[in-house]
Amino acid sequence: MRSILAAIAAIAIGLFGAAEARADKLQDILSKGVVRIGVPLDAPPFGSQDANRNPVGFDIEMAEMVAKALGVKLEMQQITGANRIPFLLTDKVDIVISVMGLTPERAKQIQFTAPYANTFLAVYGAKSLQVSGPDQLGSNRLAAAKGTTQELAISAANPKANIMRTEDDATAAAAYISGQADLIATNSIVAQALAKQNPSKEFDRKFTIRRSPAHMGVQMDQHNLVRWLDSFIFFNTMNGELDRLHRKYLDMPMDPLPTL
């Protein structure tokens, strides 16, 4: 009997410990005075490095604004399209702000906030290429960062597509710009920035994959944190700060965003 009671007690302690480990993330951030936010450095103008290797961009400034509003220190961690969700699931970051689109499959793993930036995903290439849909890619090599919405969407629409799956968006861009790939699948704003940086390279939009507003992500059970972030997004929409970021980094006013 004692051994049974001891086993039950051990299980109870283990469950209690697990519950403690999954405590309210918002309160944990406020108590520790630090928020860990995953950001991109391979997707300008959302995230990149300046001449002094300092992180800059829309998502970088959003992370700074979140930390300031929380009244805590910001600890930024560089992430890529492929490891955004794994970093959340393994508790390496508290929040992901990385121009991340919402999909039903991803929503099985993490919680998404309301959108904070309005963009779309598309395939770009030279004007001479006659491609108007996933089924017309043919043998053309398409560069796309693995694990991103655009890579998954093209793979689903055309399983036989010749996709060059790269580790991150920067590598996909380099592959297209250098001629290793014939096409690139990326965010519309990223394509716009790349076209400005590489005026000799054509970024003719071949077809739109889908509209893809950017959302922040948190762990699945962190309802208080996602509610606070939704309030943060709403507040900064109303006071014009998100419109300021759209004009500063995306060269356009903030259009009305869809709601969850």
Side-chain angles (χ1 to χ4, degrees):
M1 178 63 73
R2 287 183 179 179
S3 62
I4 294 174
L5 291 174
I8 293 172
I11 292 171
I13 291 171
L15 291 173
F16 179 76
E20 285 292 298
R22 302 294 286 182
D24 187 283
K25 184 70 70 175
L26 177 59
Q27 290 304 316
D28 188 46
I29 290 168
L30 295 175
S31 298
K32 291 181 177 179
V34 177
V35 61
R36 302 168 301 161
I37 301 181
V39 296
L41 293 182
D42 62 335
F46 289 95
S48 60
Q49 292 180 313
D50 63 16
N52 297 316
R53 302 189 66 81
N54 296 314
V56 293
F58 193 117
D59 287 344
I60 308 303
E61 193 161 341
M62 279 291 287
E64 293 168 346
M65 288 167 57
V66 166
K68 183 177 180 180
L70 285 166
V72 299
K73 179 183 177 182
L74 172 60
E75 182 181 298
M76 283 195 293
Q77 295 192 38
Q78 180 181 357
I79 54 176
T80 65
N83 65 24
R84 290 178 296 193
I85 291 178
F87 265 49
L88 275 176
L89 298 180
T90 56
D91 200 34
K92 292 181 179 178
V93 296
D94 304 310
I95 304 166
V96 162
I97 306 178
S98 182
V99 65
M100 182 162 58
L102 186 157
T103 68
E105 191 62 33
R106 286 176 177 168
K108 294 176 184 177
Q109 300 175 283
I110 65 171
Q111 281 195 92
F112 287 89
T113 67
Y116 64 86
N118 214 349
T119 67
F120 62 85
L121 302 174
V123 170
Y124 299 85
K127 292 180 180 179
S128 59
L129 280 181
Q130 300 300 309
V131 177
S132 59
D135 58 332
Q136 296 181 17
L137 290 171
S139 61
N140 290 304
R141 199 173 193 192
L142 172 71
K146 65 182 179 182
T148 57
T149 306
Q150 56 267 28
E151 184 265 315
L152 297 173
I154 293 293
S155 298
N158 183 356
K160 295 182 179 180
N162 184 12
I163 302 177
M164 179 181 180
R165 294 176 174 83
T166 63
E167 289 299 320
D168 52 38
D169 286 288
T171 309
Y176 175 66
I177 293 166
S178 66
Q180 296 178 59
D182 307 298
L183 299 157
I184 182 171
T186 190
N187 183 281
S188 58
I189 305 301
V190 172
Q192 179 180 315
L194 290 171
K196 286 183 178 180
Q197 295 167 6
N198 303 274
S200 62
K201 190 72 176 180
E202 291 182 342
F203 281 83
D204 185 58
R205 194 198 321 167
K206 298 298 149 187
F207 61 90
T208 299
I209 298 170
R210 72 173 177 86
R211 188 179 178 188
S212 184
H215 301 255
M216 301 183 202
V218 303
Q219 290 176 350
M220 181 63 84
D221 57 353
Q222 297 304 325
H223 303 289
N224 288 338
L225 181 56
V226 82
R227 285 289 293 162
W228 184 89
L229 290 169
D230 281 343
S231 300
F232 168 86
I233 293 168
F234 175 80
F235 182 79
N236 285 284
T237 298
M238 293 297 100
N239 69 12
E241 279 297 291
L242 282 186
D243 183 67
R244 178 185 66 81
L245 292 184
H246 276 74
R247 293 176 186 274
K248 178 179 178 180
Y249 293 106
L250 311 185
D251 293 326
M252 64 181 186
M254 181 180 178
D255 292 329
L257 290 164
T259 57
L260 290 179

